[in-house]
Amino acid sequence: MEDWQWMFEEAKRQTLFGVCFEAIEILPAEQRPSRDLLLSWYALTEQLRCLNKKLNMRTVQICSYLSGQQTHSIVLKGQGIALYYPKPSLRVCGDIDIWVDAKRQQFCNLVKERFSCGKMVYHNVSCHFFSDAEVEVHFTPSWLCNYFRNRRMQRYFKREFERSKENYVDLPEEAGRICVPTLAMNRVFILQHIYRHLFGDGIGLRQMMDYYYVLRQGFTEEERLETVRQLRRLGMMKFTAAAMYVLKKVFAMEDKYLLVSPNEEEGRFLLEEIMRAGNFGKSDPRIVHPEKENKLQSFLRITRQNFRFIGHYREEVLWNPLYRAWHYLWRKWNGYL
């Protein structure tokens, strides 16, 4: 029973308790956890199902509202990625990420009469559309600290927006239709999103499971080569090989779904980071957010934290301080501070 208790706590820490409960349901009665633990697990999973149902509804509502404002929107990650799972309602959900074809100030002027916006940063702004669901509006899905790599990626995203804005999918239980990125874009974007968070708040197994189900949708050899070409242009080949190792080691990913050959050395390092960090680093003592900290102290702390990756992802580590200095000046110049 101690093993089951550990499993329950780890499943919560990695935000995988929903998909783990699905596995428990098919076990023989004598192999299941104790009744009390099973009931606690069941209650948490039912809450998750209800939350996903509500978030599906809210996602459709915000997309419908933006469409009425002549603003096209694409749902990133979240409820769109959940559709790749065998049971979408068991994927732990977070906020709603919406990618729009609008300029920053243009968008804020559009919604400010009815809603308030939070802190504006390079790639997104949080908007208070609902009291029971957080919404982040993206002007670009993500970024890279390397200026030249980032320019390539932003051109790639711009092309993919045009391809994705007609990529409609139906959410479960007739919640409605939304636009999501194409599978080709998700093969690049979801991995880059994981890479981005490695240098921020850390990543967990839930993020790797998302990518597992993205790749399990399948691809042709031509599509694989195109995905690899894009990842190489973004300087992410070492991380891609490390991710392939984690997918094969933890999720038993079949070779036919791997983009490149796994790199065991880099993969072991990445897996150790994942197991220490949990879901977005919430259980990692190395990732701290002091309450009283000025801008300079924050800058130095993040720089120091990221230097543990210098032997693995040197380019991104060295560009990171330059990007954050530029980002601070950009926000100040535009009145976003």
Side-chain angles (χ1 to χ4, degrees):
M1 288 303 112
E2 289 182 2
D3 289 344
W4 274 118
Q5 185 63 46
W6 177 88
M7 177 67 76
F8 180 53
E9 297 301 328
E10 187 64 16
K12 289 193 296 181
R13 195 173 75 90
Q14 298 285 351
T15 58
L16 289 175
F17 58 85
V19 292
C20 288
F21 186 79
E22 180 185 6
I24 290 173
E25 287 183 307
I26 64 176
L27 288 175
E30 64 274 12
Q31 294 182 15
R32 295 182 180 183
S34 65
R35 183 175 182 276
D36 289 345
L37 182 57
L38 191 61
L39 288 175
S40 297
W41 211 323
Y42 172 78
L44 198 61
T45 303
E46 285 304 300
Q47 291 175 9
L48 176 59
R49 286 191 174 102
C50 292
L51 183 58
N52 267 304
K53 185 175 182 178
K54 180 187 71 177
L55 219 59
N56 284 335
M57 177 184 68
R58 293 302 193 202
T59 300
V60 172
Q61 287 175 341
I62 187 60
C63 290
S64 178
Y65 167 75
L66 292 174
S67 178
Q69 301 298 314
Q70 308 303 310
T71 301
H72 205 101
S73 60
I74 295 171
V75 178
L76 299 170
K77 304 173 293 173
Q79 304 313 98
I81 287 293
L83 295 177
Y84 295 148
Y85 281 60
K87 293 186 178 180
S89 64
L90 296 182
R91 177 189 180 272
V92 173
C93 50
D95 53 13
I96 301 171
D97 291 274
I98 301 288
W99 182 18
V100 298
D101 59 345
K103 302 295 184 182
R104 296 172 182 83
Q105 200 55 52
Q106 173 191 354
F107 181 84
C108 290
N109 292 338
L110 180 70
V111 302
K112 68 180 182 181
E113 292 184 5
R114 291 187 57 187
F115 309 103
S116 62
C117 294
K119 183 175 75 171
M120 177 74 73
V121 294
Y122 171 71
H123 68 300
N124 70 18
V125 62
S126 59
C127 291
H128 306 122
F129 290 104
F130 310 111
S131 60
D132 56 357
E134 295 183 16
V135 179
E136 286 189 346
V137 176
H138 287 250
F139 307 104
T140 178
S142 188
W143 79 96
L144 287 167
C145 293
N146 182 318
Y147 172 79
F148 304 101
R149 304 280 192 191
N150 188 56
R151 283 189 64 184
R152 291 176 187 173
M153 190 169 71
Q154 299 313 320
R155 288 196 294 266
Y156 171 76
F157 284 151
K158 188 174 182 179
R159 293 194 302 270
E160 288 303 316
F161 189 96
E162 294 305 311
R163 297 187 179 114
S164 298
K165 68 181 183 181
E166 301 300 329
N167 189 37
Y168 285 93
V169 294
D170 295 307
L171 292 180
E173 301 180 35
E174 300 182 347
R177 304 186 80 203
I178 60 173
C179 272
V180 299
T182 63
L183 188 56
M185 177 178 161
N186 272 336
R187 283 196 295 270
V188 175
F189 165 58
I190 297 301
L191 186 62
Q192 193 279 330
H193 174 72
I194 296 170
Y195 183 64
R196 177 78 276 127
H197 275 281
L198 180 66
F199 298 94
D201 292 331
I203 55 178
L205 285 176
R206 202 283 307 278
Q207 286 71 45
M208 295 305 300
M209 180 169 281
D210 281 352
Y211 200 55
Y212 168 83
Y213 279 118
V214 168
L215 295 184
R216 280 296 301 265
Q217 302 310 299
F219 44 79
T220 65
E221 178 61 12
E222 183 180 354
E223 289 170 335
R224 184 190 72 81
L225 291 174
E226 175 59 21
T227 299
V228 170
R229 187 179 77 86
Q230 294 297 340
L231 292 170
R232 180 175 288 110
R233 284 171 52 81
L234 301 181
M236 289 180 53
M237 290 311 298
K238 184 183 286 188
F239 183 76
T240 301
M244 296 303 105
Y245 173 85
V246 174
L247 293 177
K248 189 172 179 65
K249 181 74 173 179
V250 178
F251 300 107
M253 174 79 88
E254 300 97 315
D255 289 347
K256 66 179 180 179
Y257 295 118
L258 298 177
L259 293 175
V260 297
S261 298
N263 183 316
E264 182 173 354
E265 181 181 353
E266 290 298 326
R268 286 183 180 277
F269 173 78
L270 178 60
L271 184 54
E272 182 180 345
E273 285 292 318
I274 291 170
M275 297 309 295
R276 291 184 68 174
N279 182 51
F280 289 134
K282 294 177 181 178
S283 58
D284 192 340
R286 300 170 302 170
I287 302 174
V288 295
H289 300 276
E291 292 184 7
K292 295 181 180 180
E293 184 181 55
N294 60 37
K295 297 294 184 183
L296 178 58
Q297 289 171 329
S298 174
F299 179 88
L300 293 175
R301 172 180 56 81
I302 295 172
T303 301
R304 186 170 57 251
Q305 288 178 0
N306 281 340
F307 254 82
R308 71 181 184 271
F309 301 118
I310 191 68
H312 302 271
Y313 310 111
R314 182 178 293 105
E315 181 180 292
E316 194 70 5
V317 171
L318 295 178
W319 274 91
N320 189 280
L322 296 175
Y323 168 80
R324 285 186 291 115
W326 168 84
H327 189 246
Y328 173 80
L329 294 173
W330 175 83
R331 292 185 67 218
K332 192 174 183 63
W333 176 264
N334 287 282
Y336 297 143
L337 284 176

